[in-house]
Amino acid sequence: MQRTIPALLGILAWGYAPPATAQDGNISMAFFMTVDDANAGDLEEGIRRHNDWHRQQGDTWTWDVWQSVTGAPEYAYISSGHNWADFDAMDVDAGEDHNNWARTGAQHSDVVNTVMWQDLAWGSRPPTDTPALVQVFEFVMNPGGQEAFNHVVRKFTEAAESTAWPGQYTWSQNLSGPGGTTHFVVIPAANFAAFNPQGSEPLEVLTEAYGAAEARQLMEMFESVMTPGASRIWAHRPDLSYQPN
């Protein structure tokens, strides 16, 4: 796996701004649940029981579960790849869904935060399959920084394509909660060993594609408008995830 540009190329902080593009689609809804270690087993059993309810309702959405590896003990229940209109016609009734969760897993989790974000397909090189692990780097945008952010991310993705750099990543923008605009980049990995840098570093990719001067200019442009935030590693839990029949 290739490492992102140090301090350039981010799981989630709570911020809102209009999407970076007007394109519909690639939208995710997630429920983040913090839990005491002593209650983790009961919460996992509650998730399995809640999945059974979704199956009984004939839910056609996929819900992937991720467990935090670093930071506070936390689980994320995520459905991705949606258009805005999908949330007006969900397969399960939101009220009944909430009531079932209250009877299954809610009593075993401390906090549930609902979050939505949009993947920026124009600035991403995502994996084709769900990875075993992801590292997520968060960035908070300074006021007026959207145009510069878009420019740098597009230029890096073009450089990665033109130089056949094998690294994969997904840029996303948070769409919910108070605060400033937050973006994050998700780096997939098959295992922990894959987090070790391999091949060319991203700065070298930019330099190969555009020369040293423009590469440095792009990094400085990004650093002037984006403030690095938290970084976390998450593990996919296919045993807790819901796949429709």
Side-chain angles (χ1 to χ4, degrees):
M1 190 210 81
Q2 311 303 312
R3 190 164 55 192
T4 55
I5 297 175
L8 190 155
L9 287 184
I11 191 163
L12 298 169
W14 321 123
Y16 173 81
T21 69
Q23 181 182 7
D24 194 11
N26 299 311
I27 297 169
S28 298
M29 173 179 280
F31 301 93
F32 287 84
M33 300 158 281
T34 57
V35 60
D36 292 332
D37 287 335
N39 294 331
D42 290 332
L43 176 60
E44 291 187 5
E45 180 58 29
I47 292 173
R48 292 187 179 95
R49 290 171 56 198
H50 191 59
N51 287 343
D52 289 340
W53 179 84
H54 276 267
R55 188 165 288 106
Q56 293 166 8
Q57 305 307 305
D59 191 1
T60 61
W61 289 24
T62 295
W63 291 91
D64 283 302
V65 173
W66 294 81
Q67 182 179 0
S68 62
V69 175
T70 60
E74 193 168 8
Y75 292 77
Y77 196 70
I78 305 173
S79 189
S80 300
H82 296 288
N83 297 313
W84 282 113
D86 293 346
F87 299 98
D88 292 321
M90 298 177 68
D91 288 340
V92 299
D93 180 84
E96 293 180 9
D97 194 359
H98 175 81
N99 290 337
N100 181 267
W101 177 248
R103 295 192 300 271
T104 53
Q107 65 269 34
H108 306 299
S109 61
D110 297 327
V111 177
V112 177
N113 287 313
T114 306
V115 183
M116 298 181 75
W117 66 84
Q118 182 171 30
D119 294 341
L120 306 180
W122 51 265
S124 301
R125 305 179 79 214
T128 56
D129 299 315
T130 303
L133 297 166
V134 294
Q135 187 168 15
V136 185
F137 297 90
E138 167 200 313
F139 294 87
V140 178
M141 182 180 293
N142 299 332
Q146 189 71 63
E147 184 176 350
F149 166 84
N150 292 355
H151 176 71
V152 174
V153 171
R154 286 185 189 275
K155 291 287 284 186
F156 180 81
T157 299
E158 291 169 1
E161 296 291 340
S162 67
T163 60
W165 186 64
Q168 297 176 322
Y169 54 89
T170 301
W171 271 105
S172 302
Q173 179 172 347
N174 198 13
L175 302 174
S176 55
T181 307
T182 303
H183 291 72
F184 56 97
V185 63
V186 180
I187 312 300
N191 48 45
F192 283 102
F195 286 123
N196 187 49
Q198 303 171 27
S200 299
E201 286 291 309
L203 179 57
E204 296 177 81
V205 176
L206 286 174
T207 301
E208 180 181 349
Y210 306 122
E214 185 173 356
R216 171 53 58 185
Q217 182 182 43
L218 288 167
M219 290 187 69
E220 291 176 351
M221 180 183 297
F222 188 96
E223 292 168 351
S224 71
V225 298
M226 301 297 281
T227 301
S231 169
R232 297 187 70 179
I233 296 176
W234 296 75
H236 186 230
R237 291 291 304 271
D239 59 312
L240 298 178
S241 299
Y242 171 78
Q243 293 283 345
N245 295 327

